[in-house]
Amino acid sequence: MWFNGFHHLDGLIDIGDALMVHGTPEKKISVMRDSMIGTGGIALFFIVGILTIAFFKFYTFNRIYIININM
């Protein structure tokens, strides 16, 4: 489970790098294959991370609130 999660995170970072590159599709693919992390990858990582944390906090709060009302 952890390995798959990190593998998908690496793919997400690669997509963020490719979105920041201007040029041909071949250039974007070469950036995605590069092992370096760029600004686009870091930005997309933080955006997805913040949205994920916000979702889990909101979901957990509402789930506890609903359970307390029904009791």
Side-chain angles (χ1 to χ4, degrees), residues 40-64:
I42 293 172
L44 191 60
F45 170 76
F46 279 113
I47 290 169
V48 170
I50 289 169
L51 290 174
T52 303
I53 291 169
F55 170 77
F56 280 121
K57 285 191 176 257
F58 175 76
Y59 180 75
T60 305
F61 174 74
N62 285 339
R63 182 94 172 145
I64 293 169

Side-chain angles (χ1 to χ4, degrees), residues 1 3 8 10 13 16 18-21 27 29 31 37 44-45 49-53 59 61 65:
M1 180 75 175
F3 177 75
H8 288 110
D10 180 55
I13 291 171
L19 289 173
M20 292 295 289
V21 172
K27 186 175 180 182
I29 290 174
V31 167
I37 296 176
L44 191 60
F45 170 76
I50 289 169
L51 290 174
T52 303
I53 291 169
Y59 180 75
F61 174 74
Y65 185 68

